[in-house]
Amino acid sequence: MNSIDDLMDELAIRDLSHRYAMALDKNDVEVWRALFSQEIVFESGTSAPRELEDVVRIPEDQLKRYKKTLHSVTTQQVFLDGDKATGEVYCVAHHIYEDFHQNDRLPFDLSHNFLIRYDDDYVREDGRWVFARRRIITEARFVHQIIPAAT
């Protein structure tokens, strides 16, 4: 780190990853949209890279499949280069859904968990940091039966 400005930039980029997780989990489209550059390239698995109009629909699409999601950002490295930066972020993502035993009897809840590594490019636009490219790499997946909190 060379200066207080570098520390502030790194903090803003770290915050970007946390806002990403929370906006995704809450389906907060306004916050979600503001996290990305107009030229965002979003890559996941072997699918073709997505552009902004497809990226904006991700929270809604995800919450159609799951009762709830919880993305926990754990470890992050940021490498600054002026108004651009790169980074790597680790995340554990919990995707909660209902399943049934044989013959649709006895519903129970499961959490499909992903150990994720994000490979990111960031850019400063209009004085704020946004994602220019986000590549999602799933390192492992596992499923647990859970007991959700009473609501």
Side-chain angles (χ1 to χ4, degrees), residues 45-149:
T46 58
S47 302
R50 298 184 208 180
E51 295 177 352
L52 185 59
E53 78 178 52
D54 292 325
V55 172
V56 170
R57 289 194 299 269
I58 291 173
E60 179 185 355
D61 290 345
Q62 186 161 284
L63 291 174
K64 284 179 185 174
R65 295 192 324 239
Y66 302 105
K67 288 168 66 173
K68 179 179 234 174
T69 62
L70 297 165
H71 289 73
S72 179
V73 175
T74 60
T75 305
Q76 185 169 5
Q77 277 191 311
V78 175
F79 304 97
L80 297 168
D81 185 16
D83 286 338
K84 295 183 178 182
T86 59
E88 189 171 55
V89 180
Y90 294 176
C91 174
V92 178
H94 306 274
H95 300 75
I96 298 169
Y97 63 99
E98 186 175 66
D99 204 346
F100 295 88
H101 289 282
Q102 294 176 350
N103 302 320
D104 288 337
R105 297 176 303 140
L106 304 172
F108 59 99
D109 289 294
L110 295 172
S111 181
H112 190 183
N113 307 298
F114 295 79
L115 303 179
I116 296 172
R117 182 168 44 91
Y118 297 105
D119 180 23
D120 292 334
D121 292 341
Y122 314 101
V123 63
R124 189 189 333 250
E125 289 183 352
D126 300 322
R128 62 187 180 82
W129 288 98
V130 293
F131 293 102
R133 183 185 62 82
R134 177 152 257 206
R135 187 169 138 236
I136 301 173
I137 302 153
T138 301
E139 299 290 353
R141 302 181 321 174
F142 56 99
V143 176
H144 282 129
Q145 187 171 355
I146 61 167
I147 301 170

